[in-house]
Amino acid sequence: MPVKLSSSALKQTRWYEYGIRFLLGGLATVFTGLVSAHLGVAVGGLFLALPAIFCASATLIESHERRAKEKAGLAGRRRGQQAAALDAAGAGLGSIGLAAFAVTFYALVTASVIGAFAAAILVWAAVSVAAWWLRRKLRITSRTQSKR
């Protein structure tokens, strides 16, 4: 699947689904703040790695796909689960890039904050795309070998 940007999801999303996303994201942020206040910023920082909106997004993706299939007269439960799983895989690959961002920024911030941000963003993008590409190649290779 090629990486692309599509605004069609904005048209498919209902207004209350945005509310759910913002509510769950806000609750995750409050939770992280409480953890930081009680256990310190080092522990609280670990919770910042949790994508605040991921839980809401996964459920919304599942319901969108399920509704679309049911609208076409088909059972959409499995399709919805697969779409949510694909989104989770993408989030995992993005998290690898986020870890590379953090390491790069930490290593370079003493020299220049702006330079550290610029380098970290480039490393994040390169690592995330490389992880996606590698996953795709390994998946194609394993699919080809299993057919033999």
Side-chain angles (χ1 to χ4, degrees):
M1 168 185 295
V3 177
K4 65 180 182 176
L5 181 63
S6 173
S7 64
S8 64
L10 295 174
K11 297 172 190 166
Q12 296 172 354
T13 305
R14 297 186 170 116
W15 68 269
Y16 63 86
E17 292 174 333
Y18 288 112
I20 292 170
R21 288 180 180 179
F22 286 114
L23 177 68
L24 291 177
L27 290 173
T29 303
V30 169
F31 174 74
T32 301
L34 293 172
V35 168
S36 293
H38 292 306
L39 301 175
V41 294
V43 175
L46 294 174
F47 284 92
L48 288 175
L50 169 71
I53 300 177
F54 174 72
C55 299
S57 295
T59 58
L60 293 174
I61 288 169
E62 187 275 334
S63 68
H64 278 265
E65 290 296 322
R66 184 177 31 81
R67 275 197 311 257
K69 284 290 187 178
E70 288 171 354
K71 197 176 197 179
L74 304 168
R77 182 182 170 114
R78 180 77 176 143
R79 172 68 179 172
Q81 291 171 344
Q82 289 173 335
L86 185 61
D87 188 58
L93 295 175
S95 295
I96 294 168
L98 183 61
F101 175 97
V103 168
T104 304
F105 185 81
Y106 180 79
L108 300 176
V109 72
T110 54
S112 165
V113 174
I114 294 172
F117 267 121
I121 288 170
L122 290 173
V123 168
W124 165 77
V127 168
S128 296
V129 169
W132 170 81
W133 181 84
L134 182 63
R135 179 184 179 274
R136 184 171 184 212
K137 289 298 177 189
L138 290 175
R139 203 175 91 211
I140 290 170
T141 302
S142 66
R143 200 181 302 153
T144 304
Q145 289 176 351
S146 67
K147 289 181 180 179
R148 291 181 186 174

